[in-house]
Amino acid sequence: MPNSASAKKRLRQSIDRRAHNRTIKSTLRTQIRKVRAAILAGDVATSEQEFILATKKLDQAASKHVIHDNQASRLKSRLSASIKKIKTAKASA
């Protein structure tokens, strides 16, 4: 337990920040899950719409340093590649 007043304040701040970051990460994971579900269903239109929202949330989380910039880029790239893959599969079929 913290003893000094400044340490107590830091503990309060870290608890608040942790709760805030957890909500951001939770909504981010939910949005990514929606994109992946649409991709698995083979629904190109829905996956593209959900991808736009996921991209926005990833960029916001990265700009606030909740996740690393490279992690956001990596996730966007992989989701985009998956969408592109089902698009070409639909076009060739």
Coordinates of all heavy atoms in Angstrom, one line a residue:
M1 N 0.8 -1.2 0.0 CA 0.0 0.0 0.0 C 0.9 1.2 0.0 O 1.9 1.3 0.6 CB -0.9 0.0 1.2 CG -2.1 -1.0 1.2 SD -3.2 -0.7 -0.2 CE -3.8 0.9 0.1
P2 N 0.4 2.3 -0.7 CA 1.2 3.5 -0.7 C 1.1 4.2 0.6 O 0.1 4.2 1.3 CB 0.5 4.3 -1.8 CG -0.9 3.8 -1.9 CD -0.8 2.3 -1.5
N3 N 2.2 4.9 1.0 CA 2.3 5.6 2.2 C 2.2 7.1 2.0 O 1.5 7.8 2.8 CB 3.6 5.3 3.0 CG 3.6 3.8 3.4 OD1 2.5 3.3 3.9 ND2 4.7 3.2 3.4
S4 N 2.9 7.6 1.1 CA 2.9 9.1 0.9 C 1.6 9.5 0.1 O 1.0 8.7 -0.6 CB 4.1 9.5 0.1 OG 4.1 9.0 -1.2
A5 N 1.3 10.8 0.2 CA 0.1 11.3 -0.5 C 0.3 11.2 -2.0 O -0.7 10.9 -2.7 CB -0.1 12.8 -0.1
S6 N 1.5 11.5 -2.5 CA 1.7 11.4 -4.0 C 1.5 10.0 -4.5 O 1.0 9.7 -5.6 CB 3.0 12.0 -4.3 OG 4.1 11.2 -3.7
A7 N 2.0 9.0 -3.7 CA 1.9 7.6 -4.1 C 0.4 7.2 -4.1 O 0.0 6.4 -4.9 CB 2.7 6.7 -3.2
K8 N -0.4 7.7 -3.1 CA -1.8 7.4 -3.1 C -2.5 7.9 -4.3 O -3.4 7.3 -4.9 CB -2.4 7.9 -1.8 CG -2.0 7.2 -0.5 CD -2.6 7.9 0.7 CE -2.0 7.2 1.9 NZ -2.4 7.8 3.2
K9 N -2.1 9.1 -4.7 CA -2.7 9.8 -5.8 C -2.3 9.0 -7.1 O -3.2 8.8 -8.0 CB -2.2 11.2 -6.0 CG -2.8 11.9 -7.2 CD -2.3 13.4 -7.2 CE -2.9 14.1 -8.5 NZ -2.4 15.5 -8.6
R10 N -1.1 8.6 -7.2 CA -0.7 7.8 -8.4 C -1.5 6.5 -8.5 O -1.8 6.0 -9.6 CB 0.8 7.4 -8.3 CG 1.7 8.6 -8.4 CD 1.6 9.4 -9.7 NE 2.0 8.6 -10.8 CZ 1.8 8.8 -12.1 NH1 1.1 9.9 -12.4 NH2 2.2 8.1 -13.0
L11 N -1.7 5.8 -7.3 CA -2.5 4.6 -7.3 C -3.9 4.9 -7.8 O -4.5 4.1 -8.6 CB -2.6 4.0 -5.9 CG -3.4 2.7 -5.8 CD1 -2.7 1.6 -6.6 CD2 -3.5 2.4 -4.3
R12 N -4.5 6.0 -7.4 CA -5.9 6.3 -7.8 C -5.9 6.6 -9.3 O -6.8 6.1 -10.0 CB -6.4 7.6 -7.1 CG -6.8 7.4 -5.7 CD -7.6 8.6 -5.2 NE -7.0 9.9 -5.5 CZ -6.2 10.5 -4.6 NH1 -5.9 10.0 -3.5 NH2 -5.7 11.7 -4.9
Q13 N -4.9 7.3 -9.8 CA -4.8 7.6 -11.2 C -4.6 6.3 -12.0 O -5.2 6.2 -13.1 CB -3.6 8.6 -11.5 CG -3.9 10.0 -11.0 CD -2.7 10.9 -11.2 OE1 -1.6 10.4 -11.3 NE2 -3.0 12.2 -11.4
S14 N -3.8 5.4 -11.6 CA -3.5 4.2 -12.4 C -4.7 3.3 -12.4 O -5.0 2.7 -13.4 CB -2.3 3.5 -11.8 OG -2.6 2.9 -10.5
I15 N -5.5 3.3 -11.3 CA -6.7 2.5 -11.3 C -7.7 3.1 -12.3 O -8.3 2.3 -13.1 CB -7.3 2.4 -9.9 CG1 -6.4 1.6 -9.0 CG2 -8.8 1.9 -9.9 CD1 -6.8 1.7 -7.5
D16 N -7.9 4.4 -12.4 CA -8.8 5.0 -13.3 C -8.3 4.8 -14.7 O -9.1 4.5 -15.6 CB -8.9 6.5 -13.0 CG -9.6 6.8 -11.7 OD1 -10.4 5.9 -11.2 OD2 -9.5 7.9 -11.2
R17 N -7.0 5.0 -15.0 CA -6.5 4.8 -16.3 C -6.6 3.4 -16.8 O -6.9 3.1 -18.0 CB -5.0 5.2 -16.4 CG -4.9 6.7 -16.3 CD -3.5 7.2 -16.6 NE -3.4 8.6 -16.6 CZ -2.6 9.3 -15.7 NH1 -1.8 8.6 -14.9 NH2 -2.6 10.6 -15.7
R18 N -6.4 2.4 -15.9 CA -6.5 1.0 -16.2 C -8.0 0.7 -16.7 O -8.2 0.0 -17.7 CB -6.1 0.1 -15.1 CG -6.2 -1.3 -15.4 CD -5.6 -2.2 -14.2 NE -5.7 -3.6 -14.5 CZ -6.6 -4.4 -13.9 NH1 -7.4 -4.0 -13.0 NH2 -6.6 -5.7 -14.3
A19 N -8.9 1.2 -15.9 CA -10.3 1.0 -16.2 C -10.7 1.6 -17.6 O -11.4 0.9 -18.4 CB -11.2 1.5 -15.2
H20 N -10.2 2.8 -17.9 CA -10.4 3.4 -19.1 C -9.8 2.7 -20.3 O -10.5 2.4 -21.3 CB -9.9 4.9 -19.1 CG -10.2 5.7 -20.3 ND1 -9.2 6.0 -21.2 CD2 -11.3 6.2 -20.8 CE1 -9.8 6.7 -22.2 NE2 -11.0 6.8 -22.0
N21 N -8.6 2.2 -20.1 CA -7.9 1.5 -21.2 C -8.6 0.1 -21.4 O -8.6 -0.3 -22.6 CB -6.4 1.3 -20.8 CG -5.6 2.5 -20.9 OD1 -6.0 3.5 -21.5 ND2 -4.5 2.5 -20.3
R22 N -9.1 -0.5 -20.4 CA -9.7 -1.8 -20.5 C -11.0 -1.6 -21.3 O -11.3 -2.5 -22.1 CB -10.0 -2.4 -19.2 CG -8.8 -3.0 -18.5 CD -9.1 -3.5 -17.2 NE -9.9 -4.7 -17.3 CZ -10.1 -5.6 -16.4 NH1 -9.4 -5.5 -15.2 NH2 -10.8 -6.7 -16.6
T23 N -11.8 -0.6 -21.2 CA -13.0 -0.4 -21.9 C -12.7 -0.2 -23.4 O -13.3 -0.7 -24.3 CB -13.8 0.8 -21.4 OG1 -13.1 2.0 -21.5 CG2 -14.3 0.6 -20.0
I24 N -11.6 0.6 -23.7 CA -11.2 0.8 -25.1 C -10.8 -0.5 -25.7 O -11.2 -0.8 -26.8 CB -10.0 1.9 -25.1 CG1 -10.5 3.3 -24.7 CG2 -9.4 1.9 -26.5 CD1 -9.5 4.3 -24.6
K25 N -10.0 -1.3 -25.0 CA -9.5 -2.6 -25.6 C -10.7 -3.5 -25.8 O -10.7 -4.3 -26.8 CB -8.5 -3.2 -24.6 CG -7.1 -2.6 -24.8 CD -6.1 -3.4 -23.9 CE -4.7 -2.8 -24.0 NZ -3.7 -3.5 -23.3
S26 N -11.6 -3.5 -24.9 CA -12.8 -4.4 -25.0 C -13.6 -4.0 -26.2 O -14.0 -4.9 -27.0 CB -13.6 -4.3 -23.7 OG -14.8 -5.1 -23.8
T27 N -13.9 -2.8 -26.4 CA -14.7 -2.4 -27.6 C -13.9 -2.7 -28.9 O -14.5 -3.0 -29.9 CB -15.1 -0.9 -27.6 OG1 -13.9 -0.1 -27.5 CG2 -16.0 -0.6 -26.4
L28 N -12.6 -2.5 -28.8 CA -11.7 -2.8 -30.0 C -11.8 -4.3 -30.3 O -12.0 -4.7 -31.5 CB -10.3 -2.4 -29.6 CG -9.3 -2.5 -30.7 CD1 -9.6 -1.6 -31.9 CD2 -7.9 -2.1 -30.2
R29 N -11.7 -5.1 -29.3 CA -11.7 -6.6 -29.6 C -13.1 -7.0 -30.1 O -13.2 -7.9 -31.0 CB -11.4 -7.4 -28.3 CG -9.9 -7.4 -28.0 CD -9.6 -8.4 -26.9 NE -10.3 -8.1 -25.6 CZ -9.7 -7.4 -24.6 NH1 -8.4 -7.0 -24.8 NH2 -10.3 -7.2 -23.5
T30 N -14.2 -6.4 -29.6 CA -15.5 -6.7 -30.1 C -15.6 -6.3 -31.5 O -16.2 -7.1 -32.3 CB -16.6 -5.9 -29.2 OG1 -16.4 -6.3 -27.9 CG2 -18.0 -6.2 -29.7
Q31 N -15.1 -5.2 -31.9 CA -15.2 -4.7 -33.3 C -14.4 -5.7 -34.2 O -14.9 -6.0 -35.3 CB -14.8 -3.3 -33.4 CG -15.0 -2.7 -34.8 CD -16.5 -2.6 -35.1 OE1 -17.3 -2.3 -34.2 NE2 -16.9 -3.0 -36.3
I32 N -13.3 -6.1 -33.8 CA -12.4 -7.0 -34.6 C -13.1 -8.3 -34.7 O -13.1 -8.9 -35.8 CB -11.0 -7.1 -34.0 CG1 -10.3 -5.8 -34.2 CG2 -10.3 -8.3 -34.6 CD1 -9.0 -5.7 -33.4
R33 N -13.8 -8.8 -33.7 CA -14.5 -10.0 -33.7 C -15.7 -9.9 -34.7 O -16.0 -10.9 -35.4 CB -15.1 -10.3 -32.3 CG -15.4 -11.8 -32.1 CD -15.8 -12.0 -30.6 NE -14.8 -11.7 -29.7 CZ -14.9 -10.8 -28.7 NH1 -16.0 -10.2 -28.5 NH2 -13.9 -10.6 -27.9
K34 N -16.3 -8.8 -34.8 CA -17.4 -8.6 -35.8 C -16.9 -8.7 -37.2 O -17.6 -9.3 -38.1 CB -18.1 -7.2 -35.6 CG -19.0 -7.2 -34.4 CD -19.6 -5.8 -34.2 CE -20.5 -5.7 -33.0 NZ -21.0 -4.3 -32.9
V35 N -15.7 -8.1 -37.5 CA -15.1 -8.2 -38.8 C -14.8 -9.6 -39.1 O -15.1 -10.1 -40.2 CB -13.9 -7.3 -38.9 CG1 -13.2 -7.4 -40.2 CG2 -14.2 -5.8 -38.6
R36 N -14.2 -10.3 -38.2 CA -13.8 -11.7 -38.5 C -15.0 -12.6 -38.7 O -15.0 -13.5 -39.5 CB -12.9 -12.2 -37.3 CG -11.6 -11.6 -37.4 CD -10.7 -12.2 -36.3 NE -9.3 -11.6 -36.4 CZ -8.5 -11.4 -35.4 NH1 -8.9 -11.6 -34.2 NH2 -7.3 -10.8 -35.6
A37 N -16.1 -12.3 -37.9 CA -17.3 -13.1 -38.1 C -17.9 -12.9 -39.5 O -18.4 -13.8 -40.1 CB -18.3 -12.7 -37.0
A38 N -17.9 -11.7 -40.0 CA -18.4 -11.3 -41.3 C -17.6 -12.0 -42.4 O -18.1 -12.5 -43.4 CB -18.5 -9.8 -41.5
I39 N -16.3 -12.0 -42.1 CA -15.4 -12.7 -43.1 C -15.6 -14.2 -43.2 O -15.7 -14.8 -44.2 CB -13.9 -12.4 -42.7 CG1 -13.6 -10.9 -43.0 CG2 -12.9 -13.3 -43.5 CD1 -12.2 -10.5 -42.4
L40 N -15.8 -14.8 -42.0 CA -16.1 -16.2 -42.0 C -17.4 -16.6 -42.6 O -17.6 -17.6 -43.2 CB -16.1 -16.8 -40.5 CG -14.7 -16.9 -39.9 CD1 -14.8 -17.3 -38.4 CD2 -13.9 -18.0 -40.7
A41 N -18.4 -15.7 -42.5 CA -19.7 -15.9 -43.1 C -19.6 -15.6 -44.6 O -20.5 -16.0 -45.3 CB -20.7 -14.9 -42.5
G42 N -18.5 -15.0 -45.1 CA -18.4 -14.7 -46.5 C -19.1 -13.5 -47.0 O -19.3 -13.3 -48.2
D43 N -19.5 -12.7 -46.0 CA -20.3 -11.5 -46.4 C -19.3 -10.3 -46.6 O -18.8 -9.7 -45.6 CB -21.3 -11.1 -45.2 CG -22.3 -10.1 -45.6 OD1 -22.2 -9.5 -46.7 OD2 -23.1 -9.8 -44.7
V44 N -19.1 -10.0 -47.9 CA -18.1 -8.9 -48.2 C -18.6 -7.6 -47.8 O -17.8 -6.8 -47.2 CB -17.9 -9.0 -49.7 CG1 -16.9 -7.9 -50.1 CG2 -17.3 -10.3 -50.2
A45 N -19.9 -7.2 -48.0 CA -20.4 -5.9 -47.7 C -20.3 -5.6 -46.2 O -19.8 -4.5 -45.8 CB -21.8 -5.7 -48.2
T46 N -20.8 -6.5 -45.4 CA -20.8 -6.4 -44.0 C -19.4 -6.3 -43.5 O -19.0 -5.5 -42.6 CB -21.5 -7.5 -43.3 OG1 -22.8 -7.6 -43.8 CG2 -21.6 -7.3 -41.8
S47 N -18.5 -7.1 -44.0 CA -17.1 -7.1 -43.5 C -16.4 -5.8 -43.8 O -15.6 -5.3 -43.0 CB -16.3 -8.3 -44.1 OG -16.2 -8.2 -45.5
E48 N -16.7 -5.2 -45.0 CA -16.1 -4.0 -45.3 C -16.6 -2.8 -44.4 O -15.8 -2.0 -44.0 CB -16.4 -3.6 -46.8 CG -15.5 -4.4 -47.7 CD -15.8 -4.1 -49.2 OE1 -17.0 -3.7 -49.5 OE2 -14.9 -4.4 -50.0
Q49 N -17.9 -2.9 -44.1 CA -18.5 -1.8 -43.2 C -17.9 -2.0 -41.8 O -17.5 -1.0 -41.2 CB -20.0 -2.0 -43.1 CG -20.7 -1.5 -44.4 CD -20.5 -0.1 -44.7 OE1 -20.5 0.8 -43.7 NE2 -20.4 0.3 -45.9
E50 N -17.8 -3.2 -41.3 CA -17.3 -3.4 -40.0 C -15.8 -3.1 -39.9 O -15.2 -2.6 -38.9 CB -17.5 -4.9 -39.5 CG -19.0 -5.2 -39.3 CD -19.7 -4.5 -38.2 OE1 -19.0 -3.9 -37.3 OE2 -20.9 -4.4 -38.3
F51 N -15.1 -3.3 -41.1 CA -13.7 -3.0 -41.1 C -13.4 -1.5 -41.0 O -12.4 -1.1 -40.4 CB -13.1 -3.6 -42.5 CG -11.6 -3.2 -42.7 CD1 -10.6 -3.8 -41.9 CD2 -11.3 -2.3 -43.6 CE1 -9.3 -3.5 -42.1 CE2 -9.9 -2.0 -43.8 CZ -9.0 -2.6 -43.0
I52 N -14.3 -0.7 -41.6 CA -14.1 0.7 -41.5 C -14.2 1.2 -40.1 O -13.4 2.0 -39.6 CB -15.2 1.4 -42.4 CG1 -14.9 1.2 -43.9 CG2 -15.2 2.9 -42.1 CD1 -16.0 1.6 -44.8
L53 N -15.2 0.6 -39.3 CA -15.3 1.0 -37.9 C -14.1 0.4 -37.1 O -13.6 1.1 -36.2 CB -16.6 0.4 -37.4 CG -17.9 1.0 -37.9 CD1 -19.1 0.2 -37.4 CD2 -18.0 2.4 -37.5
A54 N -13.7 -0.8 -37.4 CA -12.5 -1.3 -36.7 C -11.3 -0.5 -37.0 O -10.5 -0.3 -36.0 CB -12.3 -2.8 -37.2
T55 N -11.1 -0.1 -38.2 CA -9.9 0.8 -38.5 C -9.9 2.1 -37.7 O -8.9 2.5 -37.1 CB -9.9 1.1 -40.0 OG1 -9.9 -0.1 -40.7 CG2 -8.7 2.0 -40.4
K56 N -11.1 2.7 -37.6 CA -11.2 3.9 -36.8 C -10.9 3.6 -35.3 O -10.1 4.4 -34.7 CB -12.7 4.4 -36.9 CG -12.9 5.7 -36.2 CD -14.3 6.2 -36.3 CE -14.5 7.5 -35.6 NZ -15.9 8.0 -35.7
K57 N -11.4 2.6 -34.8 CA -11.2 2.3 -33.4 C -9.7 1.9 -33.1 O -9.1 2.3 -32.1 CB -12.1 1.1 -32.9 CG -13.5 1.6 -32.8 CD -14.4 0.6 -32.1 CE -15.8 0.9 -32.0 NZ -16.1 2.2 -31.3
L58 N -9.1 1.2 -34.1 CA -7.7 0.8 -34.0 C -6.8 2.1 -34.0 O -5.9 2.2 -33.2 CB -7.2 -0.1 -35.1 CG -7.6 -1.6 -34.9 CD1 -7.5 -2.3 -36.3 CD2 -6.8 -2.2 -33.9
D59 N -7.1 3.0 -34.9 CA -6.4 4.3 -35.0 C -6.5 5.1 -33.7 O -5.5 5.7 -33.2 CB -6.8 5.1 -36.2 CG -6.3 4.4 -37.5 OD1 -5.3 3.7 -37.5 OD2 -6.9 4.7 -38.5
Q60 N -7.7 5.1 -33.2 CA -7.9 5.9 -31.9 C -7.2 5.3 -30.8 O -6.6 6.0 -30.0 CB -9.4 6.0 -31.6 CG -10.2 6.9 -32.5 CD -11.7 6.8 -32.3 OE1 -12.2 5.9 -31.7 NE2 -12.4 7.8 -32.7
A61 N -7.2 4.0 -30.7 CA -6.5 3.3 -29.6 C -5.0 3.5 -29.7 O -4.3 3.7 -28.7 CB -6.8 1.8 -29.6
A62 N -4.5 3.5 -30.9 CA -3.1 3.7 -31.1 C -2.7 5.1 -30.8 O -1.6 5.4 -30.3 CB -2.7 3.3 -32.6
S63 N -3.5 6.1 -31.2 CA -3.2 7.5 -31.0 C -3.2 7.8 -29.5 O -2.4 8.7 -29.1 CB -4.1 8.4 -31.7 OG -5.4 8.4 -31.1
K64 N -3.9 7.1 -28.7 CA -4.0 7.3 -27.3 C -3.0 6.4 -26.5 O -3.0 6.3 -25.3 CB -5.4 7.1 -26.7 CG -6.4 8.1 -27.3 CD -7.8 7.9 -26.8 CE -8.7 9.0 -27.4 NZ -10.1 8.7 -27.0
H65 N -2.2 5.6 -27.3 CA -1.2 4.7 -26.7 C -1.8 3.6 -25.8 O -1.1 3.2 -24.9 CB -0.1 5.5 -25.9 CG 0.5 6.6 -26.7 ND1 1.4 6.3 -27.7 CD2 0.4 8.0 -26.7 CE1 1.8 7.5 -28.3 NE2 1.2 8.5 -27.7
V66 N -3.0 3.2 -26.2 CA -3.6 2.1 -25.5 C -3.0 0.8 -26.1 O -2.7 -0.2 -25.4 CB -5.1 2.1 -25.6 CG1 -5.7 0.8 -25.0 CG2 -5.7 3.3 -25.0
I67 N -2.8 0.8 -27.4 CA -2.1 -0.2 -28.1 C -0.9 0.4 -28.9 O -0.9 1.6 -29.1 CB -3.0 -1.1 -29.0 CG1 -3.5 -0.2 -30.1 CG2 -4.0 -1.8 -28.3 CD1 -4.2 -1.0 -31.2
H68 N 0.0 -0.4 -29.3 CA 1.2 0.1 -30.1 C 0.7 0.4 -31.5 O -0.2 -0.2 -32.0 CB 2.3 -0.9 -30.1 CG 3.6 -0.3 -30.4 ND1 4.0 -0.2 -31.7 CD2 4.6 0.1 -29.7 CE1 5.2 0.3 -31.8 NE2 5.6 0.5 -30.5
D69 N 1.4 1.4 -32.1 CA 1.1 1.8 -33.5 C 1.2 0.6 -34.4 O 0.4 0.4 -35.3 CB 2.0 3.0 -33.9 CG 1.7 4.2 -33.2 OD1 0.6 4.4 -32.6 OD2 2.5 5.1 -33.2
N70 N 2.3 -0.1 -34.2 CA 2.6 -1.3 -35.1 C 1.5 -2.4 -35.0 O 1.2 -3.0 -35.9 CB 4.0 -1.8 -34.9 CG 5.1 -0.9 -35.3 OD1 4.8 0.1 -35.9 ND2 6.3 -1.2 -34.9
Q71 N 1.0 -2.5 -33.8 CA 0.0 -3.5 -33.6 C -1.3 -3.1 -34.3 O -1.9 -4.0 -34.9 CB -0.3 -3.7 -32.1 CG -1.4 -4.8 -31.8 CD -1.8 -4.9 -30.3 OE1 -1.3 -4.1 -29.5 NE2 -2.6 -5.9 -30.0
A72 N -1.6 -1.9 -34.3 CA -2.8 -1.4 -35.0 C -2.6 -1.6 -36.5 O -3.5 -2.1 -37.2 CB -3.0 0.1 -34.7
S73 N -1.4 -1.3 -37.0 CA -1.1 -1.5 -38.4 C -1.2 -2.9 -38.8 O -1.8 -3.3 -39.9 CB 0.2 -0.9 -38.8 OG 0.3 0.5 -38.6
R74 N -0.7 -3.8 -38.0 CA -0.6 -5.2 -38.3 C -2.1 -5.8 -38.3 O -2.4 -6.5 -39.2 CB 0.2 -5.9 -37.2 CG 0.4 -7.4 -37.4 CD 1.3 -8.0 -36.5 NE 0.8 -7.9 -35.1 CZ 1.4 -7.2 -34.1 NH1 2.6 -6.5 -34.4 NH2 0.9 -7.1 -32.9
L75 N -2.9 -5.4 -37.4 CA -4.3 -5.9 -37.4 C -5.1 -5.4 -38.6 O -5.8 -6.1 -39.2 CB -5.0 -5.5 -36.1 CG -4.6 -6.2 -34.8 CD1 -5.1 -5.5 -33.6 CD2 -5.1 -7.6 -34.9
K76 N -4.9 -4.1 -38.9 CA -5.6 -3.6 -40.1 C -5.1 -4.3 -41.3 O -6.0 -4.6 -42.2 CB -5.3 -2.1 -40.2 CG -6.0 -1.2 -39.2 CD -5.9 0.3 -39.5 CE -4.5 0.8 -39.3 NZ -4.4 2.2 -39.5
S77 N -3.8 -4.5 -41.5 CA -3.3 -5.2 -42.6 C -3.9 -6.6 -42.8 O -4.3 -7.1 -43.9 CB -1.8 -5.2 -42.6 OG -1.3 -6.0 -43.6
R78 N -3.9 -7.4 -41.7 CA -4.4 -8.7 -41.7 C -5.9 -8.8 -42.0 O -6.3 -9.7 -42.8 CB -4.1 -9.4 -40.4 CG -2.6 -9.7 -40.3 CD -2.3 -10.4 -39.0 NE -0.8 -10.6 -38.9 CZ -0.2 -11.0 -37.8 NH1 -0.9 -11.3 -36.7 NH2 1.1 -11.2 -37.8
L79 N -6.6 -7.9 -41.4 CA -8.1 -7.9 -41.7 C -8.4 -7.5 -43.1 O -9.2 -8.1 -43.8 CB -8.8 -6.9 -40.7 CG -8.9 -7.3 -39.3 CD1 -9.5 -6.2 -38.4 CD2 -9.7 -8.6 -39.1
S80 N -7.6 -6.5 -43.6 CA -7.8 -6.1 -45.0 C -7.4 -7.2 -46.0 O -8.1 -7.5 -47.0 CB -6.9 -4.9 -45.3 OG -7.0 -4.5 -46.6
A81 N -6.4 -8.0 -45.7 CA -6.0 -9.1 -46.5 C -7.0 -10.2 -46.5 O -7.3 -10.8 -47.6 CB -4.6 -9.6 -46.1
S82 N -7.6 -10.4 -45.4 CA -8.7 -11.4 -45.3 C -9.9 -11.0 -46.1 O -10.5 -11.9 -46.8 CB -9.1 -11.6 -43.8 OG -8.0 -12.1 -43.1
I83 N -10.3 -9.8 -46.1 CA -11.4 -9.3 -46.8 C -11.1 -9.4 -48.3 O -11.9 -9.8 -49.1 CB -11.7 -7.8 -46.5 CG1 -12.3 -7.8 -45.0 CG2 -12.8 -7.2 -47.4 CD1 -12.5 -6.4 -44.5
K84 N -9.9 -9.0 -48.7 CA -9.5 -9.1 -50.1 C -9.5 -10.5 -50.6 O -9.9 -10.8 -51.7 CB -8.0 -8.5 -50.2 CG -7.6 -8.2 -51.6 CD -6.2 -7.6 -51.6 CE -6.1 -6.6 -52.7 NZ -4.8 -6.0 -52.7
K85 N -9.1 -11.5 -49.7 CA -9.1 -12.9 -50.1 C -10.5 -13.4 -50.4 O -10.8 -14.1 -51.3 CB -8.5 -13.7 -48.9 CG -8.1 -15.1 -49.2 CD -7.4 -15.6 -48.0 CE -6.9 -17.0 -48.3 NZ -6.2 -17.6 -47.1
I86 N -11.5 -13.0 -49.5 CA -12.9 -13.5 -49.8 C -13.5 -12.8 -51.0 O -14.3 -13.4 -51.7 CB -13.8 -13.4 -48.6 CG1 -14.0 -11.9 -48.1 CG2 -13.3 -14.2 -47.4 CD1 -15.1 -11.7 -47.1
K87 N -13.0 -11.5 -51.3 CA -13.5 -10.8 -52.5 C -13.1 -11.6 -53.7 O -13.9 -11.8 -54.7 CB -12.9 -9.4 -52.5 CG -13.8 -8.4 -51.9 CD -13.2 -7.0 -52.2 CE -13.9 -5.9 -51.6 NZ -13.2 -4.6 -51.8
T88 N -11.8 -11.9 -53.8 CA -11.3 -12.6 -55.0 C -11.9 -14.0 -55.1 O -12.1 -14.5 -56.2 CB -9.8 -12.7 -54.9 OG1 -9.3 -13.4 -53.7 CG2 -9.1 -11.4 -55.0
A89 N -12.2 -14.7 -53.9 CA -12.8 -16.0 -54.0 C -14.2 -15.9 -54.5 O -14.7 -16.7 -55.3 CB -12.8 -16.6 -52.6
K90 N -14.9 -14.8 -54.2 CA -16.3 -14.6 -54.7 C -16.3 -14.3 -56.2 O -17.1 -14.7 -56.9 CB -17.0 -13.5 -53.9 CG -17.3 -13.8 -52.5 CD -18.7 -14.3 -52.3 CE -19.0 -14.5 -50.9 NZ -20.2 -15.1 -50.6
A91 N -15.3 -13.5 -56.6 CA -15.2 -13.1 -58.0 C -14.8 -14.3 -58.9 O -15.4 -14.4 -60.0 CB -14.1 -12.0 -58.1
S92 N -14.0 -15.1 -58.4 CA -13.6 -16.3 -59.2 C -14.6 -17.4 -59.2 O -14.6 -18.2 -60.1 CB -12.2 -16.8 -58.8 OG -12.3 -17.3 -57.4
A93 N -15.4 -17.4 -58.2 CA -16.4 -18.5 -58.1 C -17.7 -18.2 -58.9 O -17.9 -17.3 -59.6 CB -16.8 -18.7 -56.7

